[in-house]
């Protein structure tokens, strides 16, 4: 299929599905981000994305924060004066959804 025709059809389908149009190439980055967020092993993601080198896949994964990074940023926000009431609500929700997301320490 000619690339311009593919792009036109892709845009038509986005319109029909009522989703925001992005460049076709950006769908690869979206796929990489979703695979990383789902903790898919980078080697498997490399195969899915058809990358020839793991370095390319890891570069695509670089902007996806790990659960440890998210946890550290929440702690930093709290230390810098983040809303304690809001944090308590979120913490309660996380414990109900996924108790493994907590670091096991009590906050002071």
């Amino acid at each position: 299929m000619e690339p311009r025709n593919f792009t036109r059809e892709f845009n038509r389908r986005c319109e029909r599905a009522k989703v925001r149009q992005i460049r076709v190439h950006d769908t690869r980055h979206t796929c990489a981000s979703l695979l990383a967020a789902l903790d898919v092993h980078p080697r498997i993601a490399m195969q899915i994305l058809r990358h020839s080198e793991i370095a390319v896949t890891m570069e695509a994964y670089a902007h996806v924060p790990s659960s440890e990074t998210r946890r550290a940023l929440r702690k930093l926000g709290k230390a810098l004066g983040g809303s304690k009431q809001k944090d308590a609500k979120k913490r309660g929700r996380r414990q109900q959804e996924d108790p493994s997301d907590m670091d096991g320490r009590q906050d002071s």
Side-chain angles (χ1 to χ4, degrees), residues 7 10 20 25 31 39 42 53 65 82 92:
T7 300
F10 178 80
R20 182 172 60 99
H25 179 76
C31 182
D39 293 325
E53 297 180 23

Short mmCIF file of all heavy atoms in Angstrom, two decimals, residues 7 10 20 25 31 39 42 53 65 82 92:
data_model
loop_
_atom_site.label_atom_id
_atom_site.label_comp_id
_atom_site.label_asym_id
_atom_site.label_seq_id
_atom_site.Cartn_x
_atom_site.Cartn_y
_atom_site.Cartn_z
N THR A 7 -1.86 6.43 5.31
CA THR A 7 -2.08 7.53 6.26
C THR A 7 -3.51 8.06 6.14
O THR A 7 -4.17 8.32 7.15
CB THR A 7 -1.06 8.65 6.03
OG1 THR A 7 0.26 8.10 6.22
CG2 THR A 7 -1.27 9.81 6.99
N PHE A 10 -5.79 5.54 7.76
CA PHE A 10 -5.59 5.61 9.20
C PHE A 10 -6.35 6.80 9.79
O PHE A 10 -7.06 6.67 10.79
CB PHE A 10 -4.09 5.71 9.52
CG PHE A 10 -3.79 5.82 10.99
CD1 PHE A 10 -3.79 4.70 11.80
CD2 PHE A 10 -3.49 7.05 11.56
CE1 PHE A 10 -3.51 4.81 13.15
CE2 PHE A 10 -3.21 7.17 12.90
CZ PHE A 10 -3.23 6.04 13.71
N ARG A 20 -8.54 10.95 18.89
CA ARG A 20 -7.63 12.00 18.44
C ARG A 20 -6.68 11.44 17.39
O ARG A 20 -6.14 10.35 17.55
CB ARG A 20 -6.83 12.53 19.63
CG ARG A 20 -5.89 13.65 19.30
CD ARG A 20 -5.28 14.24 20.55
NE ARG A 20 -4.53 13.28 21.32
CZ ARG A 20 -3.20 13.13 21.28
NH1 ARG A 20 -2.49 13.90 20.48
NH2 ARG A 20 -2.60 12.24 22.02
N HIS A 25 3.39 6.96 12.91
CA HIS A 25 4.64 6.61 13.61
C HIS A 25 4.45 6.69 15.13
O HIS A 25 5.04 5.90 15.87
CB HIS A 25 5.78 7.52 13.16
CG HIS A 25 7.06 7.21 13.86
ND1 HIS A 25 7.84 6.11 13.55
CD2 HIS A 25 7.69 7.84 14.88
CE1 HIS A 25 8.89 6.09 14.34
NE2 HIS A 25 8.83 7.12 15.15
N CYS A 31 2.37 2.19 21.60
CA CYS A 31 2.45 0.75 21.84
C CYS A 31 3.60 0.45 22.81
O CYS A 31 3.42 -0.31 23.77
CB CYS A 31 2.65 0.01 20.53
SG CYS A 31 2.72 -1.78 20.72
N ASP A 39 4.40 -3.88 32.12
CA ASP A 39 5.56 -4.66 32.56
C ASP A 39 5.91 -5.81 31.62
O ASP A 39 6.35 -6.87 32.06
CB ASP A 39 5.39 -5.18 33.99
CG ASP A 39 5.39 -4.05 35.01
OD1 ASP A 39 6.13 -3.08 34.80
OD2 ASP A 39 4.65 -4.16 36.00
N PRO A 42 11.27 -6.21 28.04
CA PRO A 42 11.77 -5.46 26.88
C PRO A 42 12.10 -6.33 25.67
O PRO A 42 11.92 -5.90 24.53
CB PRO A 42 13.02 -4.76 27.41
CG PRO A 42 12.76 -4.60 28.87
CD PRO A 42 11.98 -5.83 29.27
N GLU A 53 17.39 -3.90 17.40
CA GLU A 53 18.32 -3.79 18.53
C GLU A 53 17.55 -3.44 19.79
O GLU A 53 16.65 -2.60 19.78
CB GLU A 53 19.36 -2.71 18.25
CG GLU A 53 20.23 -3.02 17.05
CD GLU A 53 21.25 -1.92 16.81
OE1 GLU A 53 21.58 -1.18 17.75
OE2 GLU A 53 21.70 -1.80 15.67
N PRO A 65 7.67 5.87 33.45
CA PRO A 65 8.13 5.73 34.83
C PRO A 65 7.76 4.37 35.41
O PRO A 65 6.68 3.84 35.16
CB PRO A 65 7.40 6.85 35.57
CG PRO A 65 6.18 7.11 34.76
CD PRO A 65 6.55 6.80 33.33
N GLY A 82 2.77 18.54 49.65
CA GLY A 82 1.59 18.10 48.92
C GLY A 82 0.41 17.92 49.85
O GLY A 82 0.56 17.80 51.07
N GLY A 92 -5.57 5.13 50.33
CA GLY A 92 -6.66 4.21 50.65
C GLY A 92 -7.16 3.49 49.42
O GLY A 92 -7.40 2.29 49.44
#
